[in-house]
Amino acid sequence: MNSSILTIQQHILQEQQRFPGATGEFSFMLSGITLAAKRIQSKVRMAGLVEILGSVGEQNIQGEVQQKLDVYANEVLTHSLSSREAVGVLASEENEHPIVVPHLSPNAKYAVIFDPLDGSSNIDVNVSVGTTFSILRKPDGVNFESPERWLLQPGRKQIAAGYVVYGSSTIMVYTVGNGVHGFTLDPSIGAFLLSHPNIRMPKQGTYYSVNEAYRDAFPPEYNTFIERMRRGEIGKPYASRYIGSMVADFHRTLLKGGVFMYPPTATHPKGKLRLLYEANPIAMIAEQAGGLATDGQRRILDVQPESIHQRTPLIVGSETEMKELEKIQKDM
Ligand code: AHM
Ligand code: MG
């Protein structure tokens, strides 16, 4: 047996030992996310079979109404995290309002914000989708009557963040502010095993990732930036990659370098992605891995949110590309 095999639970416990006096509730809370991720991935793997299985009767015998996968993912995460006493407030892309966790545990000190199934329109065509999450500590003096105040904190206050990609394999990537680590699900034993310790984003990559169909509406600096990458003025001429699932596009950018962008467009003049549960966790992971993330003007992690579902432009990637964009902006 390989003695270096480490499960995500063991890794979380090791991380926790860095905090003297830690009670274990933080690791128990994170295990709520890993459990939910396993349940979501198993359902994602069944997508496409639902109709043929349903037609032979299983669904009717159970009396179950088939849910959309993003609704299912939302329920699984909400259920899993609600039973963790450390969690006081939950917020999700799928819910307009935050949920105050019903047990009202006086010890609850964390808020968890998530996008249960990002890129869900890709499900029907067998393309990768993902889950993102962000964890914030309850600010001093705030109670259950004002759940928004648990949530409306700048991203630099996140104490943990991560994502899961349901791709050719299922991988969970997380940080507690001490580097970035990736764990691949071994489906034969149902455990996430450390496969990508201490991920560092390359200083420069060879891909840019953006929906180029919207170029006419991008502010001009983004088109200059894309042109410079295409023409080989920053390094070798770049190639493009765009999946249309932020988590999958970012995961490639994290491992291979380069840049992922969702700038303002005609239909989404403030950007399409959501600050609290999409841009913030991705930005924390990027910075922890040596990359950078901005909204085109400011560091994402410094943006003071005003509402839970607020949108933001997102530009995230390797140091070289991000500095180049900054330079173009200064020169304009
Ligand atoms: P969703 O939360 O409705 O799934 O939308 C978010 C997704 C991101 O995963 C992806 O980066 C983006 O929308 C793609 O948008 P577009 O099709 O406009 O390029
Ligand atoms: Mg989303």
Side-chain angles (χ1 to χ4, degrees):
M1 199 177 135
N2 184 343
S3 60
S4 65
I5 288 177
L6 198 65
T7 67
I8 195 165
Q9 295 318 330
Q10 290 167 323
H11 193 271
I12 292 167
L13 285 170
Q14 276 182 12
E15 288 290 304
Q16 181 186 285
Q17 277 159 15
R18 295 191 303 119
F19 301 98
T23 58
E25 58 181 10
F26 182 73
S27 2
F28 188 48
M29 173 175 64
L30 281 180
S31 75
I33 299 178
T34 57
L35 174 63
K38 286 184 216 171
R39 293 187 61 198
I40 296 167
Q41 77 86 32
S42 112
K43 205 70 157 189
V44 165
R45 304 284 173 223
M46 295 293 282
L49 291 171
V50 167
E51 276 179 26
I52 53 166
L53 294 180
S55 68
V56 294
E58 276 92 336
Q59 297 301 319
N60 292 342
I61 291 165
Q62 302 295 327
E64 284 173 5
V65 178
Q66 196 51 53
Q67 290 174 314
K68 281 185 68 195
L69 265 169
D70 37 17
V71 176
Y72 174 82
N74 191 42
E75 280 179 10
V76 166
L77 271 159
T78 306
H79 181 258
S80 219
L81 286 165
S82 298
S83 61
R84 269 52 181 172
E85 286 213 328
V87 179
V89 171
L90 293 173
S92 160
E93 171 163 29
E94 293 287 323
N95 302 111
E96 194 183 340
H97 300 292
I99 300 169
V100 175
V101 173
H103 56 67
L104 291 179
S105 162
N107 299 323
K109 46 177 187 263
Y110 301 110
V112 187
I113 321 169
F114 49 85
D115 183 355
L117 208 63
D118 183 54
S120 51
S121 61
N122 273 329
I123 279 276
D124 293 343
V125 287
N126 275 33
V127 173
S128 301
V129 291
T131 295
T132 52
F133 64 90
S134 158
I135 302 180
L136 292 158
R137 197 187 297 276
K138 174 176 92 73
D140 286 343
V142 171
N143 58 25
F144 289 105
E145 261 114 68
S146 42
E148 280 82 7
R149 291 186 56 201
W150 294 50
L151 301 165
L152 298 180
Q153 305 186 55
R156 63 173 181 274
K157 302 263 184 173
Q158 291 171 107
I159 56 161
Y163 61 81
V164 185
V165 188
Y166 312 102
S168 46
S169 61
T170 299
I171 184 165
M172 176 154 171
V173 174
Y174 91 109
T175 182
V176 290
N178 183 34
V180 176
H181 314 282
F183 300 80
T184 302
L185 183 70
D186 179 343
S188 65
I189 57 168
F192 280 103
L193 304 180
L194 181 61
S195 52
H196 296 69
N198 290 314
I199 300 173
R200 302 298 299 167
M201 199 186 279
K203 287 251 176 301
Q204 182 169 6
T206 55
Y207 300 129
Y208 64 83
S209 183
V210 64
N211 192 333
E212 291 196 79
Y214 307 143
R215 273 184 70 169
D216 290 350
F218 290 166
E221 64 263 36
Y222 297 101
N223 284 320
T224 307
F225 184 36
I226 292 168
E227 280 311 314
R228 298 211 59 199
M229 289 188 281
R230 294 183 57 206
R231 292 190 193 133
E233 290 170 11
I234 303 178
K236 281 196 230 155
Y238 281 59
S240 78
R241 293 283 187 278
Y242 190 72
I243 295 168
S245 286
M246 178 197 68
V247 186
D249 278 314
F250 173 72
H251 186 61
R252 183 196 52 253
T253 307
L254 177 70
L255 296 183
K256 302 283 185 195
V259 63
F260 167 78
M261 315 188 256
Y262 206 112
T265 63
T267 45
H268 293 105
K270 293 186 174 165
K272 179 184 181 193
L273 301 173
R274 313 292 184 147
L275 176 61
L276 287 189
Y277 42 81
E278 293 179 327
N280 272 345
I282 292 298
M284 182 176 182
I285 297 266
E287 287 199 5
Q288 281 289 317
L292 295 163
T294 73
D295 68 357
Q297 270 143 17
R298 296 164 292 181
R299 179 184 178 224
I300 285 285
L301 297 182
D302 283 338
V303 178
Q304 172 62 50
E306 276 154 24
S307 67
I308 292 169
H309 299 288
Q310 146 177 3
R311 295 178 194 268
T312 178
L314 174 65
I315 299 89
V316 57
S318 297
E319 199 183 304
T320 303
E321 287 85 345
M322 294 298 290
K323 293 256 157 79
E324 185 64 29
L325 174 62
E326 205 184 308
K327 192 164 154 282
I328 292 169
Q329 286 169 322
K330 278 200 189 116
D331 293 346
M332 279 185 121

